[in-house]
């Protein structure tokens, strides 16, 4: 099993913590072969200047002490055909998408396209928003920090 992690949208506190714990859990608890970090948001699936990063336990060991996201983030760059081509080329079976409401609409579109093409890819959305505008959750990581900074 191979996995991939992408962060999209704006930055918020805690992104590196989530990436670190995902990588550790995927290797230590689930025994995945590889975890790819998609750099630069959705455009990292297809832009040559954003090659994927092989995420290892050693690489992510102390990233929780850094702000932002080691994967970099951006808005836009969503191209469903190129994303699916990446998933097939790298034999990704699990895709973890960290982002807000727009990012989750993209995650749903990827899930739908994988189902239509009979690709065996589990797509998991991890809500991240400082605006607290993702439906069906009370709050996500990053929200409390934003509220405290605003006060």
């Amino acid at each position: 099993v191979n996995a991939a992690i992408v962060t999209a949208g704006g930055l918020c506190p805690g992104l590196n913590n989530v990436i670190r714990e995902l990588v550790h859990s995927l290797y230590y608890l689930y025994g995945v072969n590889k975890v790819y970090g998609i750099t630069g948001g959705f455009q990292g699936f297809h832009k040559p200047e954003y090659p994927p990063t092989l995420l290892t336990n050693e690489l992510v060991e102390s990233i929780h002490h850094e702000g932002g996201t080691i994967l970099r983030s951006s808005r836009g760059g969503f191209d469903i055909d190129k994303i699916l081509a990446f998933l097939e080329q790298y034999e990704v079976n699990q895709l973890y998408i960290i982002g807000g409401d727009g990012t989750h609409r993209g995650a749903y579109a990827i899930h739908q396209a994988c189902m239509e093409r009979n690709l065996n890819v589990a797509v998991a959305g991890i809500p991240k928003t400082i605006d607290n505008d993702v439906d069906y959750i009370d709050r996500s990581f990053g929200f409390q920090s934003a509220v405290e900074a605003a006060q």
Side-chain angles (χ1 to χ4, degrees):
V1 172
N2 294 326
I5 302 170
V6 61
T7 58
L11 296 177
C12 81
L15 284 168
N16 281 336
N17 297 64
V18 173
I19 294 166
R20 178 181 185 264
E21 296 311 313
L22 265 174
V23 171
H24 285 327
S25 295
L26 288 167
Y27 283 118
Y28 290 136
L29 299 176
Y30 296 99
V32 299
N33 297 320
K34 294 179 183 173
V35 179
Y36 296 103
I38 310 304
T39 56
F42 286 126
Q43 62 188 343
F45 284 105
H46 57 84
K47 286 204 171 180
E49 60 267 29
Y50 296 116
T53 301
L54 184 60
L55 298 175
T56 64
N57 287 316
E58 296 77 24
L59 180 69
V60 302
E61 187 55 40
S62 56
I63 65 170
H64 59 296
H65 297 295
E66 303 171 25
T69 167
I70 62 163
L71 299 177
R72 301 187 310 193
S73 189
S74 71
R75 292 180 170 87
F78 188 88
D79 185 321
I80 193 68
D81 292 322
K82 291 178 180 176
I83 292 170
L84 294 179
F86 177 96
L87 297 176
E88 289 182 293
Q89 178 184 349
Y90 287 87
E91 299 178 340
V92 172
N93 309 100
Q94 298 177 8
L95 177 59
Y96 297 89
I97 302 176
I98 307 168
D101 58 332
T103 302
H104 279 73
R105 284 191 292 275
Y108 182 70
I110 294 169
H111 159 74
Q112 289 293 100
C114 286
M115 295 291 288
E116 289 169 8
R117 297 187 190 184
N118 291 317
L119 297 179
N120 185 22
V121 179
V123 180
I126 300 168
K128 172 245 2 148
T129 174
I130 63 169
D131 304 321
N132 209 35
D133 60 354
V134 176
D135 291 339
Y136 308 115
I137 62 168
D138 292 329
R139 63 178 59 162
S140 74
F141 69 93
F143 175 70
Q144 191 61 38
S145 299
V147 169
E148 289 171 6
Q151 294 175 343

